[in-house]
Amino acid sequence: MTSIGILGAGRVGANLAGKLSAAGHRVTLGVRNPEDTAGLTPGIAPQIAFADQRTTARTADIVINATPGDSSLDRLAGLRTELSGKLLVDVSNATRDADDGLPGDLCYPGSSLAEKLQGALPDTHVVKTLNTMLFMVMTAPETLAVPPTAYLSGDDQNAKEIVTRLLGDLGWQPGWIEDLGGITTARATEAMILVVPHILRRHGFKPFAVSLAR
């Protein structure tokens, strides 16, 4: 069992929390106001704890960033001390909203949120993954007709091996995981978000992933 802190209790964070808790991990959801969580995530497992984000980052062995990508850098840079020596799994995409509320332009063209986080958190091992799919696929990859791909980007190989095992707990088979290399490769997978709004406008909010076919 691993202690996992998830920053952000929206659909992404709550979805990951449920599956990781079911896999036997001790999960804490980091929220802005842990005293006011009624109705925040309906039906969430009672064994999942809530705490403020600073406490969540300080007490967890592994931290997952599921906060809105356009504000993640400011939020997490303020947690540098709490995240020191930790493994940070970044699943967010940093985009500006289009007029219809769907993802728009990249916030960091020519770079990536993951790279910015690694630069702001030099004592933290940042690994980018699961940012190329709708949130429900993160925890149920087997439900797609074609096997999806979970890409990994990060500078620390041991950290990526730990994340690979966590992906296994989420239902990802080894052959579906593609290690792209260092953290700079995250700019490629983050740019994949640019195709998402066009797919959603044409087909609606149906599960899909941007995957590698061989």
Side-chain angles (χ1 to χ4, degrees):
M1 180 177 67
T2 301
S3 173
I4 299 176
I6 301 177
L7 305 181
R11 292 179 298 185
V12 173
N15 188 46
L16 290 170
K19 189 65 176 281
L20 290 170
S21 177
H25 298 290
R26 186 170 65 253
V27 178
T28 300
L29 275 170
V31 296
R32 290 185 175 182
N33 184 7
E35 306 302 323
D36 184 23
T37 57
L40 182 62
T41 49
I44 198 164
Q47 66 268 27
I48 296 173
F50 289 91
D52 64 85
Q53 294 189 348
R54 191 171 299 277
T55 299
T56 300
R58 185 180 67 249
T59 58
D61 299 319
I62 297 172
V63 179
I64 298 175
N65 173 40
T67 64
D70 59 349
S71 60
S72 289
L73 184 57
D74 287 341
R75 291 173 192 250
L76 273 65
L79 301 175
R80 177 171 174 172
T81 299
E82 289 77 10
L83 291 170
S84 179
K86 302 288 180 72
L87 166 54
L88 176 66
V89 185
D90 178 32
V91 303
S92 295
N93 286 303
T95 61
R96 299 177 177 86
D97 286 346
D99 292 339
D100 56 4
L102 293 176
D105 293 336
L106 299 174
C107 291
Y108 308 111
S111 184
S112 65
L113 172 60
E115 290 173 82
K116 296 292 185 183
L117 289 171
Q118 187 63 86
L121 304 167
D123 299 320
T124 302
H125 299 304
V126 179
V127 176
K128 188 81 180 191
T129 193
L130 294 179
N131 62 305
T132 55
M133 63 201 70
L134 293 192
F135 74 92
M136 65 285 287
V137 179
M138 295 178 178
T139 58
E142 73 283 355
T143 60
L144 296 186
V146 177
T149 304
Y151 304 96
L152 290 178
S153 298
D155 292 335
D156 186 272
Q157 192 60 37
N158 182 62
K160 287 191 287 187
E161 290 173 1
I162 294 171
V163 174
T164 296
R165 292 196 290 272
L166 278 183
L167 290 175
D169 290 339
L170 293 174
W172 289 85
Q173 297 183 20
W176 301 349
I177 301 170
E178 187 74 22
D179 186 346
L180 297 179
I183 199 66
T184 59
T185 63
R187 66 183 64 180
T189 59
E190 289 190 26
M192 291 179 184
I193 190 66
L194 296 176
V195 76
V196 169
H198 305 297
I199 294 173
L200 293 179
R201 291 184 187 110
R202 288 182 61 85
H203 301 288
F205 206 72
K206 298 177 181 178
F208 75 92
V210 184
S211 300
L212 179 65
R214 288 193 175 93

